[in-house]
Amino acid sequence: MKMFLTILLFFHGFLSVAQLDPYHYTTTKNVTAKKAAVVSAHPLASDAGIQILRQGGNAIDAAIATQLALAVVYPVAGNLGGGGFLVAQLANGKKIAIDYREKAPGNASRDMYLDSSGNVIEKLSTNGHKASGVPGTVAGLFKSHQYGKLPFSKLLEPAIKLARYGFVISASQAGSFNREKADFLAYNTKPTAFIKQGEWKEGDTLVQEELARTLERIRDGGMKGFYEGETAALIVEEMKRGNGLISLKDLADYDAVEREAYVFDYKGYKIVTMPLPSSGGVVLPQMLKMTESRNLGKYGFHSPEAVQLMIESERRAYADRAQYLGDVDFVKVPVNKLRSQEYLEARMKDFTPGKAGNSDITKPGEFPESEETTHLSVIDQWGNAVAVTTTLNGGYGSKTVVGGAGFLLNNEMDDFSVKPGVPNMYGALGTEANAIAPGKRMLSSMTPSVVLKNNKPFMVVGTPGGTTITTSVYQSIVNIIDFKLSAVDAVNKPKFHHQWKPDVVYVEKDFPADVIEKLKAMGYTIRERAPIGQTELILINGKKIEAVADKRGGDTALGY
Ligand code: GLY
């Protein structure tokens, strides 16, 4: 009888969500659509967004539902306990930038990760309770929802059901949980859904009842269902058990901020992107503007000349990132100067074609950041275009799940400069501008962007990848605009990355060998590395929508 009831409840759960089938799903890498599309890191999350669009929701609603589903089905980066940025161009022309980046807790201090001799204490800013900033995601979803159409409770439905009734995991997810088991055991004070007796395997079902109840508290209590009451108490109890810093006051005080999107021209297109604390809002325009008047398109895609020019613009932009960028609510950042044409032309004056630059010589300009983040792109039938990048920082963030609440906390504190001159987990350097202070937002690389043609959405783009995020977005944009690549090639062709220090050009394994040889002959140090990013791109050409999910992950593009 009990078994019968369980089965009945189980099917009742799913029948009411229409097409979501968490037991039989496959990835779809690209789709051509007429009305709407969603691309995200997981098929069930993309499907949650599509279902919301089919029920009359707009792209903002779909982006919220997709993020909530990612928090369940893609726990490596999808989150309630992290933060993110949303950039959108609404059908009425309004441009939106919502900042839900985590903040340093009120008890955080500049040298909190240093020992008494001033040395960085290994793993303190990356693993466990002390690595977490105050989560921003739930506040960001509510801030975004003012532009949505459907009730928030509707947007939560797919996520609640996926958490409560479970979904089958892929081989790569099973492998990832198995690899993380030792860390999950080390950094948790209570049992978590991610730890299983024995090994996870493809086709196992992941059920997250505690997470389902947290999502229901958000449904019933709104923002307060997370930042106050039982969920907040569970977060603070978890902090106490693990020596973390987040307090009830930190949670009650947190709010997302609507900022002015940064909009700039590039070769007849307008690019709408995220301002600080996203470094992307400075680094992306810097790189594009440093190469705009040069011959990228004529040199050709992956020509040594074009690649060298791009490497040198990346070097210069990342030197400035390390020196100047931080939370503008706390430090003065000369953003206008950093993005001015005159300054950027001066920065490229010492560029020598055919000869590698040198990061000990190229200093930041003078005038008076495991890479597990996730991106989703959405377009709807009305022309609302939404790009969201959201993160726990490293894979599974701090690896600490809030006991009784079922969600992982971020390790975003490592995106601060914990000590000037000491690289963070992405090898990124920083200065006082990005030093820790209570309530301050750590610098990010997340660069969700919408490119406009004739003031209408033409491209929706973004990617995870730590410091490689901005170079990947840069390359995806020039791949389409300058090199005229197809959307599929713009996403999937090999990428490269230079971030000033270390003075190394990182290339993906399938980067053309002849170009590598030519770059070496110019004096560059080349290092092969793991895949760069998981770009989710939508291209809109008149009535044709092409949505592409990166081949590098289990991502899925859906549309209709
Ligand atoms: N945690 C990665 C970023 O925000 O850049």
Side-chain angles (χ1 to χ4, degrees):
M1 182 63 184
K2 193 169 166 216
M3 176 85 137
F4 172 75
L5 269 176
T6 308
I7 292 170
L8 193 70
L9 277 170
F10 181 86
F11 279 107
H12 171 78
F14 277 110
L15 287 176
S16 57
V17 220
Q19 283 96 1
L20 279 182
D21 181 352
Y23 298 101
H24 306 93
Y25 59 87
T26 49
T27 57
T28 313
K29 287 299 173 190
N30 51 303
V31 71
T32 303
K34 287 200 175 98
K35 283 186 161 176
V38 180
V39 202
S40 85
H42 198 286
L44 295 171
S46 296
D47 194 46
I50 284 289
Q51 296 311 320
I52 290 297
L53 290 169
R54 285 191 186 279
Q55 289 169 45
N58 66 12
I60 296 277
D61 293 317
I64 294 170
T66 304
Q67 285 172 86
L68 289 163
L70 282 169
V72 180
V73 298
Y74 194 66
V76 67
N79 65 84
L80 297 182
F85 300 135
L86 175 147
V87 166
Q89 155 94 2
L90 298 185
N92 64 8
K94 185 174 168 64
K95 292 156 183 64
I96 295 170
I98 297 178
D99 168 0
Y100 41 109
R101 185 70 165 162
E102 301 91 326
K103 285 177 159 191
N107 281 331
S109 55
R110 190 181 181 282
D111 297 334
M112 62 185 275
Y113 298 114
L114 306 185
D115 63 19
S116 52
S117 314
N119 297 318
V120 175
I121 304 169
E122 220 188 317
K123 294 192 175 164
L124 202 58
S125 67
T126 56
N127 289 16
H129 300 67
K130 239 190 192 128
S132 301
V134 184
T137 292
V138 175
L141 300 183
F142 279 98
K143 191 68 94 188
S144 311
H145 187 239
Q146 64 184 297
Y147 299 107
K149 288 175 72 186
L150 298 183
F152 202 90
S153 57
K154 188 104 212 132
L155 312 181
L156 275 156
E157 276 175 13
I160 293 172
K161 284 177 177 150
L162 286 163
R164 171 147 301 134
Y165 302 108
F167 64 99
V168 297
I169 61 169
S170 64
S172 100
Q173 239 168 353
S176 169
F177 288 156
N178 292 334
R179 283 191 301 278
E180 297 292 337
K181 186 169 185 172
D183 276 354
F184 285 143
L185 286 167
Y187 297 110
N188 284 285
T189 58
K190 298 267 175 186
T192 98
F194 307 124
I195 302 175
K196 171 180 190 245
Q197 278 220 311
E199 296 264 290
W200 287 97
K201 54 184 192 320
E202 179 179 10
D204 281 350
T205 301
L206 177 65
V207 172
Q208 300 170 80
E209 175 57 28
E210 289 179 348
L211 179 56
R213 289 205 295 270
T214 298
L215 291 164
E216 284 171 341
R217 285 193 293 278
I218 296 169
R219 178 195 63 197
D220 300 340
M223 244 181 88
K224 289 187 176 174
F226 184 86
Y227 289 99
E228 297 179 27
E230 187 178 342
T231 312
L234 288 168
I235 295 172
V236 172
E237 282 163 24
E238 184 62 57
M239 289 289 119
K240 285 191 179 138
R241 287 193 296 273
N243 220 7
L245 296 184
I246 300 170
S247 68
L248 285 175
K249 179 167 167 28
D250 290 331
L251 291 164
D253 286 351
Y254 187 90
D255 204 1
V257 182
E258 187 157 353
R259 301 195 186 268
E260 198 175 322
Y262 182 61
V263 186
F264 64 101
D265 293 315
Y266 182 72
K267 297 196 169 172
Y269 296 81
K270 276 200 188 317
I271 298 179
V272 185
T273 195
M274 188 72 206
L276 286 166
S278 163
S279 58
V282 176
V283 172
L284 180 66
Q286 281 196 320
M287 293 186 299
L288 283 165
K289 292 288 178 187
M290 278 191 257
T291 52
E292 184 174 22
S293 62
R294 295 169 193 258
N295 273 339
L296 284 185
K298 284 207 186 125
Y299 289 136
F301 176 67
H302 276 176
S303 62
E305 293 88 346
V307 173
Q308 193 212 351
L309 256 170
M310 293 167 75
I311 290 169
E312 291 302 328
S313 73
E314 292 176 7
R315 180 199 307 280
R316 286 158 177 78
Y318 275 75
D320 285 355
R321 178 195 196 278
Q323 181 68 27
Y324 296 112
L325 304 190
D327 182 350
V328 281
D329 293 344
F330 281 72
V331 290
K332 241 175 122 62
V333 180
V335 279
N336 292 336
K337 186 86 186 186
L338 286 167
R339 293 188 295 226
S340 76
Q341 196 63 40
E342 196 190 357
Y343 171 74
L344 294 169
E345 272 164 26
R347 288 293 273 149
M348 285 298 272
K349 273 225 164 88
D350 59 352
F351 165 73
T352 314
K355 186 167 180 290
N358 181 322
S359 291
D360 288 327
I361 296 169
T362 298
K363 303 281 186 212
E366 283 178 24
F367 39 85
E369 144 189 31
S370 120
E371 304 170 344
E372 293 293 353
T373 292
T374 188
H375 178 83
L376 56 114
S377 295
V378 188
I379 182 88
D380 69 19
Q381 59 180 312
W382 300 285
N384 298 296
V386 182
V388 173
T389 315
T390 178
T391 188
L392 289 165
N393 197 18
Y396 306 99
S398 64
K399 324 265 169 108
T400 298
V401 177
V402 176
F407 61 87
L408 282 149
L409 286 168
N410 66 83
N411 61 345
E412 220 72 61
M413 291 297 283
D414 190 64
D415 267 350
F416 279 118
S417 174
V418 301
K419 182 179 175 182
V422 175
N424 72 4
M425 63 190 279
Y426 303 115
L429 298 173
T431 61
E432 200 57 42
N434 190 32
I436 303 170
K440 188 175 174 183
R441 288 171 153 92
M442 55 296 283
L443 186 63
S444 173
S445 296
M446 296 186 290
T447 312
S449 301
V450 179
V451 180
L452 309 178
K453 188 176 178 182
N454 302 323
N455 286 321
K456 297 271 180 246
F458 167 70
M459 191 191 309
V460 190
V461 65
T463 180
T467 44
T468 69
I469 290 174
T470 325
T471 48
S472 289
V473 172
Y474 169 47
Q475 288 170 42
S476 299
I477 291 173
V478 298
N479 283 352
I480 299 276
I481 294 178
D482 294 79
F483 298 124
K484 314 283 179 221
L485 261 54
S486 69
V488 171
D489 282 348
V491 168
N492 292 328
K493 288 278 182 190
K495 295 204 163 72
F496 57 92
H497 173 71
H498 193 292
Q499 60 179 46
W500 180 53
K501 295 220 173 158
D503 194 347
V504 164
V505 183
Y506 296 95
V507 295
E508 291 189 288
K509 284 194 173 48
D510 49 350
F511 198 81
D514 58 326
V515 183
I516 291 178
E517 287 314 312
K518 287 194 173 125
L519 291 169
K520 282 183 179 166
M522 292 179 199
Y524 289 99
T525 303
I526 311 290
R527 202 170 292 160
E528 221 178 61
R529 54 150 286 161
I532 296 179
Q534 279 171 240
T535 299
E536 319 288 24
L537 186 142
I538 298 178
L539 207 56
I540 305 113
N541 264 316
K543 294 217 173 310
K544 185 175 158 204
I545 298 170
E546 275 182 274
V548 181
D550 202 310
K551 69 168 188 189
R552 295 168 181 85
D555 316 46
T556 276
L558 295 174
Y560 62 93

